[in-house]
Amino acid sequence: MRDLLATRARASPGDAALVDDASGREWTYAALDAAVERTAGRLAALGVTRDDHVGVLLETRPAFVRLVFAVQRLGATLVPLNARLSPTELETQRERADLVLLACEADTEADALTAAGAVPVVSVDEPTDSGVRVLGERDPEDVAPAEWTPEDDLALLYTSGTTGDPKPVRLTFGNVVAAAGASAFTLGVLPDDRWLCCLSMYHMGGLSIPLRCALYGTTCVLQRGFDAEETARALAEHDCTGVSVVPTMLDRLLRADAELPDSLRFVLCGGAPTPPDLVAACEDAGVPIHPSYGMTEATSQIATARPAAAYSNPETVGRPLFGTTVTVVDEAGDPVPTGETGELCVSGPTITPGYYDAPAANAEAFGPHGLRTGDVGYRDDAGRLYVLNRRSDRIITGGENVDPGRVAAVIRSHPAVRDVAVVGVDDPEWGERVTALVVPEDGVALDRDALETHWEGRLAGFAQPRTVAFVDDLPRTASGTVDRAVARERARAAADDL
Ligand code: ATP
Ligand code: MG
């Protein structure tokens, strides 16, 4: 098969492909295809050929989408880099991924030049005095669209780096097509669908959207970043039918009190646990939330719940997607009975063939039941999945296993709590001591006694935090997930102070 866009542009050239919220510009599939052909020709003029790795350091905007499909047109592999990383982190990622070229924009040019080493840098924006080459200045070469097989690497996408250094995940053409199909079997596809992408496209949740829209022949609406008021406005203005968010964004959308349009038929919410309160708030506001569990290695979703199922059972992420198998295993790697907790292993056509150039990591990550996710959870009798926490986050105190996610959820349900992280801190007596970093709501008085009253009866004695530290914010990784290593350090310092 040719690249996804070329195939789509032949099938429905006149349909709306892309809308840019910032500029108001729109492209049909034919127009996008023509623009992509020019970009591909310019990349070819810079020497990019089949199987090359092309880095992209941009925030969400049409030029990013053009690069996604232009790299595909050449049969090359896309390597999106996280624009929020430091130049040193970027340099490490650039080296690991064997880039031949790094594309940037005006805002990321300085970082790209620092991180690129000997790799040429090219900007999608106007010339500046930094001397960086400008992609648009090249005369495009004629290119013959590459043929793809399911095994070819379409992208290398770095994980978020929550548990260590980000890992480059190989995503094949087959993975992307399978993930788009499986997702559609849960979310459905309608001809007039318009999916808002306000997430970064250097993460799976964002990158999936233009890829899937091209497969479905539906419209991708781009917004440069999330902002509660602006995103609510964009949803309404562009008659969006879908949007992907992480739970904190959805929480802000609901609190912003902005009217969400009636056109909205799915809000795909993943990347972190969706607090049950948030599901309840969605039910009250009529927001069609689809709580979802996914990871980069699974080309996005692993399991997704539909709204009605979520409202009646807010703890679950629903059933695994069609074609995805989730096996819960014990410490020895053997499957456990339904209802029992263990590590989640996943297999199926959406699962990566492995991390790029990492035989040792791959040998450790893949076993007889597929990829070991490092996440802990269980299935119920109806086959619904529950994700509790990461294996590495589990706290063992006085010989008891404590699920930090569950403790955090109980604390978060206190109305005066805005955010919370629960970690284990080494303790000579208990092994680990359960410690909570709590961010109170602005201007609200909150103390330990109030929290104790709240969790009494809701949490077992051994799970109740021994230490509570009130903080202004939680440490986060460049991807926005709670940086648990830093959280643990802060918790340790707080425990020492008390
Ligand atoms: P790294 O692999 O580098 O440590 P990461 O795992 O955070 O980073 P991602 O692939 O972006 O990188 O995130 C996937 C992870 O996010 C999952 O393995 C899981 O831990 C967490 N996650 C995603 N959705 C949910 C959910 N609904 N509930 C709980 N955890 C979730
Ligand atoms: Mg991970």
Side-chain angles (χ1 to χ4, degrees):
M1 193 167 146
R2 289 191 174 176
D3 63 87
L4 302 178
L5 182 71
T7 312
R8 167 52 57 196
R10 274 203 216 163
S12 52
D15 288 354
L18 189 64
V19 175
D20 179 35
D21 177 60
S23 66
R25 285 194 63 187
E26 302 197 14
W27 289 260
T28 60
Y29 275 102
L32 183 60
D33 188 58
V36 162
E37 191 173 305
R38 280 194 301 279
T39 304
R42 291 183 170 125
L43 291 175
L46 287 164
V48 176
T49 56
R50 199 179 170 97
D51 298 329
D52 279 348
H53 291 182
V54 179
V56 172
L57 187 64
L58 267 74
E59 287 292 352
T60 301
R61 57 183 281 188
F64 199 144
V65 175
R66 279 201 298 278
L67 284 163
V68 168
F69 291 111
V71 170
Q72 235 178 82
R73 182 129 317 165
L74 298 173
T77 301
L78 179 83
V79 187
L81 299 181
N82 185 333
R84 283 173 213 166
L85 294 178
S86 71
T88 327
E89 291 167 313
L90 286 171
E91 192 175 357
T92 311
Q93 297 200 353
R94 185 265 299 157
E95 263 176 9
R96 262 198 92 173
D98 292 330
L99 301 188
V100 300
L101 183 75
L102 180 56
C104 68
E105 59 184 347
D107 286 354
T108 58
E109 192 183 289
D111 284 354
L113 286 169
T114 314
V119 169
V121 175
V122 58
S123 174
V124 298
D125 283 326
E126 296 296 305
T128 61
D129 51 17
S130 70
V132 72
R133 289 197 268 181
V134 174
L135 187 59
E137 285 175 354
R138 308 255 129 195
D139 283 332
E141 271 179 14
D142 283 341
V143 294
E147 298 278 336
W148 284 84
T149 68
E151 292 74 32
D152 295 330
D153 285 350
L154 187 144
L156 300 185
L157 193 59
Y158 279 94
T159 59
S160 298
T162 310
T163 55
D165 285 336
K167 296 160 281 196
V169 176
R170 291 174 53 203
L171 297 171
T172 65
F173 192 83
N175 288 149
V176 168
V177 174
S183 174
F185 297 147
T186 300
L187 300 177
V189 178
L190 293 176
D192 294 328
D193 271 344
R194 295 162 76 85
W195 195 334
L196 181 73
C197 175
C198 56
L199 297 173
S200 304
M201 284 171 55
Y202 42 78
H203 291 314
M204 203 62 253
L207 181 62
S208 301
I209 300 172
L211 290 170
R212 289 178 184 182
C213 287
L215 268 152
Y216 303 153
T218 54
T219 310
C220 170
V221 181
L222 289 187
Q223 186 173 38
R224 191 158 165 97
F226 174 86
D227 171 90
E229 271 86 23
E230 278 295 292
T231 297
R233 187 223 10 101
L235 285 168
E237 197 172 307
H238 303 292
D239 296 320
C240 291
T241 55
V243 63
S244 300
V245 288
V246 298
T248 47
M249 293 177 179
L250 184 52
D251 186 54
R252 281 188 220 153
L253 264 180
L254 292 183
R255 285 173 199 244
D257 227 17
E259 196 67 22
L260 296 182
D262 292 339
S263 57
L264 199 60
R265 63 174 195 84
F266 67 88
V267 175
L268 188 60
C269 182
T274 306
D277 286 12
L278 185 55
V279 179
C282 285
E283 182 172 13
D284 289 346
V287 172
I289 185 173
H290 290 66
S292 184
Y293 164 59
M295 66 196 303
T296 312
E297 293 88 334
T299 327
S300 180
Q301 293 149 269
I302 291 169
T304 299
R306 291 197 177 96
Y311 300 154
S312 64
N313 186 347
E315 310 265 347
T316 182
V317 289
R319 294 201 180 82
L321 296 199
F322 181 78
T324 301
T325 302
V326 177
T327 312
V328 186
V329 304
D330 61 18
E331 289 290 321
D334 296 321
V336 301
T338 304
E340 277 184 29
T341 298
E343 183 174 4
L344 307 175
C345 293
V346 291
S347 61
T350 71
I351 308 300
T352 176
Y355 302 107
Y356 175 66
D357 194 21
N362 287 332
E364 206 173 297
F366 290 88
H369 303 288
L371 175 75
R372 301 179 50 180
T373 61
D375 295 318
V376 173
Y378 66 95
R379 309 270 309 258
D380 67 14
D381 288 336
R384 286 179 294 244
L385 188 64
Y386 300 78
V387 185
L388 300 173
N389 52 265
R390 298 187 194 234
R391 239 172 120 230
S392 54
D393 295 345
R394 193 183 32 183
I395 303 170
I396 304 180
T397 183
E400 297 281 359
N401 268 337
V402 174
D403 167 12
R406 160 116 186 88
V407 179
V410 168
I411 296 176
R412 195 177 286 109
S413 68
H414 189 289
V417 171
R418 177 143 58 93
D419 210 349
V420 58
V422 174
V423 293
V425 170
D426 292 341
D427 183 276
E429 191 180 351
W430 299 100
E432 278 182 294
R433 139 200 301 264
V434 181
T435 305
L437 295 178
V438 176
V439 184
E441 286 288 1
D442 287 339
V444 180
L446 182 65
D447 58 16
R448 190 191 158 95
D449 287 349
L451 290 176
E452 268 180 20
T453 314
H454 181 70
W455 70 48
E456 196 55 54
R458 291 185 166 97
L459 287 175
F462 61 82
Q464 296 177 1
R466 301 273 168 257
T467 308
V468 176
F470 294 98
V471 295
D472 292 336
D473 54 20
L474 298 178
R476 301 220 172 246
T477 65
S479 308
T481 56
V482 173
D483 188 328
R484 301 195 61 91
V486 176
R488 233 172 259 129
E489 269 164 40
R490 283 206 200 162
R492 198 171 298 129
D496 289 347
D497 283 351
L498 291 170

Coordinates of all heavy atoms in Angstrom, one line a residue, residues 38-44 46 63 66-67 70 101 103-104 121-125 132-140:
R38 N 4.9 18.3 -2.1 CA 6.0 19.4 -2.2 C 7.0 19.2 -1.0 O 8.2 19.2 -1.2 CB 5.3 20.8 -2.1 CG 4.8 21.2 -3.4 CD 4.5 22.8 -3.4 NE 3.5 23.2 -2.3 CZ 2.2 23.1 -2.4 NH1 1.6 22.6 -3.5 NH2 1.5 23.4 -1.4
T39 N 6.4 19.0 0.2 CA 7.3 18.8 1.4 C 8.2 17.6 1.2 O 9.4 17.6 1.5 CB 6.5 18.7 2.7 OG1 5.6 19.8 2.8 CG2 7.3 18.6 3.9
A40 N 7.6 16.5 0.7 CA 8.4 15.3 0.5 C 9.5 15.5 -0.5 O 10.6 15.1 -0.3 CB 7.5 14.2 0.0
G41 N 9.2 16.3 -1.6 CA 10.1 16.6 -2.6 C 11.3 17.5 -2.0 O 12.5 17.3 -2.4
R42 N 10.9 18.3 -1.1 CA 12.0 19.2 -0.5 C 12.9 18.3 0.5 O 14.1 18.5 0.5 CB 11.3 20.3 0.3 CG 10.7 21.3 -0.6 CD 10.1 22.5 0.1 NE 9.7 23.5 -0.9 CZ 8.5 24.0 -1.0 NH1 7.5 23.6 -0.1 NH2 8.3 24.9 -1.9
L43 N 12.3 17.4 1.2 CA 13.0 16.5 2.0 C 14.0 15.6 1.1 O 15.1 15.4 1.5 CB 12.1 15.6 2.9 CG 11.3 16.3 4.0 CD1 10.4 15.3 4.6 CD2 12.2 16.9 5.0
A44 N 13.4 15.2 0.0 CA 14.2 14.4 -0.9 C 15.4 15.2 -1.4 O 16.6 14.7 -1.5 CB 13.4 13.9 -2.1
L46 N 17.0 17.3 0.2 CA 18.0 17.4 1.3 C 18.6 16.0 1.5 O 19.4 15.8 2.4 CB 17.3 17.8 2.6 CG 16.9 19.3 2.6 CD1 15.9 19.6 3.8 CD2 18.2 20.2 2.8
A63 N 2.2 22.3 9.8 CA 3.5 21.8 9.2 C 4.0 20.5 9.8 O 4.6 19.7 9.1 CB 4.6 22.9 9.5
R66 N 2.1 17.9 7.8 CA 2.7 17.7 6.5 C 4.0 16.9 6.6 O 4.2 16.0 5.8 CB 3.1 19.1 5.9 CG 1.9 19.8 5.3 CD 2.4 20.9 4.3 NE 3.2 21.9 4.9 CZ 2.7 23.0 5.6 NH1 1.4 23.1 5.7 NH2 3.4 23.9 6.1
L67 N 4.8 17.1 7.7 CA 6.0 16.3 7.8 C 5.7 14.9 8.1 O 6.3 14.0 7.5 CB 6.8 16.9 8.9 CG 7.6 18.2 8.6 CD1 8.1 18.9 9.8 CD2 8.8 17.9 7.6
A70 N 4.8 13.5 4.7 CA 5.9 13.7 3.7 C 7.0 12.6 4.0 O 7.5 12.0 3.1 CB 6.5 15.1 3.8
L101 N 18.3 13.9 9.7 CA 17.8 15.3 9.6 C 16.9 15.6 10.7 O 16.2 14.7 11.2 CB 17.0 15.4 8.2 CG 16.5 16.7 7.9 CD1 17.7 17.6 7.3 CD2 15.4 16.7 6.8
A103 N 14.0 18.4 11.7 CA 13.1 19.5 11.3 C 12.6 20.2 12.5 O 12.2 19.6 13.5 CB 11.9 19.0 10.4
C104 N 12.7 21.6 12.5 CA 12.2 22.4 13.6 C 11.4 23.5 13.1 O 11.1 23.7 11.9 CB 13.5 22.9 14.4 SG 14.4 24.1 13.4
V121 N 20.0 20.6 10.3 CA 18.7 21.1 10.9 C 18.0 21.9 9.8 O 18.6 22.7 9.1 CB 19.0 22.0 12.1 CG1 17.7 22.6 12.6 CG2 19.6 21.2 13.2
V122 N 16.7 21.8 9.7 CA 16.0 22.5 8.7 C 14.7 23.0 9.3 O 14.0 22.3 10.1 CB 15.7 21.6 7.4 CG1 14.9 20.4 7.8 CG2 15.0 22.4 6.4
S123 N 14.4 24.3 9.1 CA 13.2 24.9 9.7 C 12.0 25.0 8.8 O 12.2 25.3 7.6 CB 13.6 26.3 10.3 OG 12.4 26.9 10.8
V124 N 10.8 24.9 9.3 CA 9.6 25.0 8.5 C 9.2 26.5 8.4 O 8.3 26.9 7.7 CB 8.4 24.2 9.0 CG1 8.8 22.7 8.9 CG2 8.0 24.6 10.4
D125 N 9.9 27.4 9.2 CA 9.5 28.8 9.3 C 10.4 29.7 8.5 O 11.4 29.2 7.9 CB 9.5 29.2 10.7 CG 8.2 28.7 11.4 OD1 7.2 28.6 10.7 OD2 8.2 28.4 12.6
V132 N 20.0 28.8 10.1 CA 19.4 27.5 9.9 C 18.8 27.5 8.5 O 18.3 28.5 8.0 CB 18.4 27.2 11.0 CG1 17.2 28.1 10.8 CG2 18.0 25.8 11.1
R133 N 18.9 26.3 7.8 CA 18.3 26.2 6.5 C 16.8 26.2 6.6 O 16.2 25.7 7.6 CB 18.8 24.9 5.9 CG 20.2 25.0 5.5 CD 20.6 23.9 4.5 NE 21.0 22.7 5.2 CZ 21.4 21.6 4.6 NH1 21.3 21.4 3.3 NH2 21.9 20.6 5.3
V134 N 16.1 26.7 5.6 CA 14.7 26.8 5.6 C 14.1 25.8 4.5 O 14.5 25.8 3.4 CB 14.2 28.2 5.2 CG1 12.7 28.3 5.1 CG2 14.7 29.1 6.3
L135 N 13.2 24.9 5.0 CA 12.7 23.8 4.1 C 12.1 24.4 2.9 O 12.3 23.9 1.8 CB 11.8 23.0 4.9 CG 11.2 21.7 4.3 CD1 12.4 20.8 3.9 CD2 10.2 21.0 5.2
G136 N 11.3 25.4 3.1 CA 10.5 26.0 2.0 C 11.3 26.6 0.8 O 10.8 26.8 -0.3
E137 N 12.6 26.9 1.1 CA 13.4 27.5 0.1 C 13.9 26.5 -1.0 O 14.4 26.9 -2.0 CB 14.6 28.1 0.7 CG 14.3 29.4 1.5 CD 15.5 30.0 2.2 OE1 16.6 29.3 2.2 OE2 15.4 31.1 2.7
R138 N 13.8 25.2 -0.6 CA 14.3 24.2 -1.6 C 13.4 24.1 -2.8 O 12.2 24.2 -2.6 CB 14.4 22.8 -0.9 CG 15.1 22.8 0.3 CD 16.5 22.2 0.1 NE 17.5 23.1 0.7 CZ 18.7 23.0 0.5 NH1 19.2 22.1 -0.3 NH2 19.6 23.8 1.0
D139 N 13.9 23.7 -3.9 CA 13.0 23.3 -5.0 C 12.7 21.8 -4.8 O 13.7 21.0 -4.7 CB 13.8 23.5 -6.4 CG 13.8 24.9 -6.8 OD1 12.8 25.6 -6.4 OD2 14.7 25.3 -7.5
P140 N 11.4 21.5 -4.8 CA 11.1 20.1 -4.5 C 11.6 19.2 -5.7 O 11.5 19.5 -6.9 CB 9.6 20.0 -4.4 CG 9.1 21.4 -4.7 CD 10.2 22.3 -4.9

